[in-house]
Amino acid sequence: MRLTPTERDRLLIFNAAQLARARQARGLRLNVPEATALISDTVCEAARDGARLVEAVAAGRAVLGPEDVLPGVADVLTEIQVEAVFDDGSRLAVLTDPVGGGHAGDQAPGALLPGPPHAERRPEVTLPVTNTATVPVSVTSHFHFFEANPRLRFDRAAAYGMRLAVPAGSSLRFGPGETREAGLLPIGGERVVIGFAGLVDGPLDAPGARAEALRRAAACGYLGAEPVGTEPAPESAPAPESAPAPETPA
């Protein structure tokens, strides 16, 4: 069975969460990795059960309290970010104060805290994107847009190494059959992409990485990744039948 890096990470979280549950059942207080795994797994399972983002975040924040973790864990674990698959696509769930240590004050679960004002960067590329699926598709802010849902039709080559030009933690939603513009920015930092759909899994700018990613995407049926000239040619009209030769008199 072939698993993508994202699926392998999900199994790792699940196994770590099961270990945390077993230790909690023995009366042990959890450490940082155990608490992180248990909360993350709770969010992912709530999403799998059909919960909305705000409901999944609330479920994650309710699973542990300060009395369930070792001293100091609540001070260290001030935020957990986990990407879960909801009915309308993958969404980034942000849990502030996940073990209820009181660091978040009266903020609502998953609320974005205000920071210093800054100018949003303008998109460097704008692409028309069509959702050919029968369900809505949401793409989160820092998802490698090239690897977004295969049923989204757009110029994959132009989106290679790019992310949405939207605030961190937010997303762009494409309704069934909808076409809308998506503004994109280059992925920053060291430009190493790990996970997502497994089409890159390494440095974006490595020699041959872009061509290989496009080949994989086309082989997996990602719309917009088809090489130019591979569209099926229209059927040609049949040649007219020739008239029968006149009979030669005997």
Side-chain angles (χ1 to χ4, degrees), residues 2-243:
R2 182 183 179 276
L3 298 175
T4 67
T6 300
E7 291 166 339
R8 291 197 297 269
D9 289 344
R10 179 68 190 95
L11 286 175
L12 179 62
I13 291 173
F14 173 78
N15 287 328
Q18 290 294 85
L19 177 62
R21 290 186 179 99
R23 290 178 174 174
Q24 189 180 36
R26 300 202 308 266
L28 300 177
R29 301 177 74 177
L30 304 183
N31 57 27
V32 171
E34 293 163 349
T36 301
L38 182 54
I39 294 169
S40 299
D41 182 69
T42 300
V43 173
C44 291
E45 288 304 298
R48 184 65 178 85
D49 290 340
R52 296 179 297 126
L53 175 60
V54 66
E55 295 168 340
V57 168
R61 295 187 74 246
V63 71
L64 292 177
E67 69 282 357
D68 299 313
V69 297
L70 292 169
V73 169
D75 295 320
V76 173
L77 201 57
T78 58
E79 181 179 276
I80 292 177
Q81 297 187 16
V82 58
E83 190 161 2
V85 180
F86 294 83
D87 288 345
D88 60 348
S90 296
R91 307 283 295 276
L92 182 67
V94 181
L95 292 82
T96 56
D97 190 31
V99 294
H103 305 285
D106 296 326
Q107 295 291 335
L112 295 177
L113 301 180
H118 63 280
E120 294 288 347
R121 293 176 59 189
R122 297 179 62 85
E124 294 189 12
V125 174
T126 301
L127 299 176
V129 180
T130 301
N131 179 14
T132 67
T134 57
V135 296
V137 174
S138 293
V139 183
T140 50
S141 57
H142 282 64
F143 196 93
H144 184 204
F145 201 75
F146 169 85
E147 302 182 63
N149 193 294
R151 296 298 93 196
L152 294 179
R153 183 182 293 278
F154 59 91
D155 186 348
R156 300 271 171 178
Y160 182 81
M162 311 288 281
R163 65 170 180 85
L164 285 171
V166 297
S170 59
S171 62
L172 194 60
R173 183 180 185 274
F174 303 89
E178 180 183 22
T179 298
R180 61 182 304 184
E181 300 286 322
L184 305 177
L185 288 169
I187 293 174
E190 298 181 358
R191 288 179 58 77
V192 174
V193 167
I194 301 294
F196 299 110
L199 299 179
V200 180
D201 261 352
L204 286 164
D205 303 320
R210 182 174 181 271
E212 175 62 15
L214 280 166
R215 184 195 67 78
R216 292 180 182 178
C220 293
Y222 280 71
L223 298 179
E226 308 90 343
V228 176
T230 59
E231 294 82 0
E235 296 183 4
S236 56
E241 297 182 3
S242 57

